[in-house]
Amino acid sequence: MKPSFSFTASAFVALINVGYSLAQTPQGFSPPVNETLSIAFDRANITAGAPVPLELTQLSPTVILPELPVNSSALLLMVDLDAPGGINNHTFSPFLHWMIPLPAGSTRVSKNETSVKAVAPYIGPAPPVGTGKHRYVVLLLSVPSPVFEWPEGFPLFDSTKMQSRVLFDVKKFDKAGQFQPLAANWFTSENITTIHTSSASRVPNGSTSTSIGMWASIALALAYM
């Protein structure tokens, strides 16, 4: 006698939802990660997909790291999946907001970290007004060597040029470096008032720019590439 199975549509949807609830990266993001990366902006601990007030994100977060594999270092990065104009215009996405190498044995990254030289210094989220919620992914990669080296075959990064941060293909970067995704988290942030656009966003050379000015300058730079 063959066993009978009853699997309703609602049960199937519930199973899918459980899978999504376990994921620590947004649907469709690659590489997908299920391990939670503990991050906090100004003592506000982040859960996957949670909204974070824009003003809290202008300094890099505190990150508690899981145990790294033996003889491995790590790489921490943050990208905006909806730059510059949200779901209706993400032509610059993924936009790299942060990349910092972490030596073997690291256990945490402090708020506004300055003790380790970043590959891509932190730039706080700066979504233009009216573009809705932007999704930001913070990803921890294991580097298969004690010291991080830029992957061969992946376009070189120039920290002095904002256009180097545009269309940063995380999946190809991960594959080129033979990295191992360890943990991740993600949050959303939205510019809901004009007050936020007057707030200065930190950029590598120490100058400041409004969110609109930053994206306009990137678009202009790309036009002349």
Side-chain angles (χ1 to χ4, degrees):
M1 180 178 179
K2 294 183 178 180
S4 61
F5 296 94
S6 177
F7 198 69
T8 65
S10 59
F12 180 70
V13 171
L15 183 61
I16 292 177
N17 288 336
V18 168
Y20 288 160
S21 67
L22 292 176
Q24 298 305 311
T25 50
Q27 183 181 358
F29 179 83
S30 186
V33 184
N34 289 330
E35 285 295 319
T36 302
L37 183 64
S38 177
I39 64 175
F41 285 102
D42 197 24
R43 299 184 300 279
N45 293 319
I46 306 306
T47 56
V52 181
L54 193 61
E55 59 269 20
L56 295 185
T57 66
Q58 298 311 296
L59 296 178
S60 62
T62 299
V63 183
I64 306 301
L65 306 176
E67 184 176 354
L68 302 180
V70 177
N71 297 324
S72 296
S73 54
L75 192 66
L76 187 67
L77 58 88
M78 185 175 101
V79 292
D80 178 0
L81 302 184
D82 300 301
I87 60 174
N88 295 321
N89 177 11
H90 43 78
T91 53
F92 292 168
S93 299
F95 180 84
L96 182 66
H97 276 266
W98 193 28
M99 181 185 291
I100 181 171
L102 303 169
S106 296
T107 58
R108 65 180 286 138
V109 178
S110 300
K111 175 184 175 182
N112 199 25
E113 178 64 59
T114 57
S115 63
V116 179
K117 185 177 181 180
V119 175
Y122 185 81
I123 297 178
V129 176
T131 60
K133 294 179 179 179
H134 286 222
R135 297 164 298 160
Y136 299 89
V137 177
V138 183
L139 177 66
L140 180 68
L141 300 172
S142 172
V143 177
S145 62
V147 178
F148 166 72
E149 294 183 0
W150 195 260
E152 292 185 10
F154 194 84
L156 293 177
F157 183 83
D158 187 342
S159 62
T160 66
K161 296 181 178 179
M162 292 291 283
Q163 55 264 42
S164 285
R165 297 174 180 257
V166 174
L167 298 174
F168 189 86
D169 194 321
V170 180
K171 181 179 180 180
K172 289 184 178 179
F173 179 75
D174 174 55
K175 184 177 181 179
Q178 298 182 348
F179 305 129
Q180 176 187 349
L182 291 180
N185 212 327
W186 68 285
F187 63 94
T188 64
S189 201
E190 181 178 7
N191 195 342
I192 58 176
T193 72
T194 54
I195 294 176
H196 288 149
T197 61
S198 65
S199 299
S201 296
R202 298 175 182 270
V203 293
N205 61 10
S207 63
T208 59
S209 170
T210 63
S211 59
I212 294 176
M214 183 180 80
W215 296 120
S217 64
I218 293 172
L220 184 62
L222 290 173
Y224 285 92
M225 286 182 64

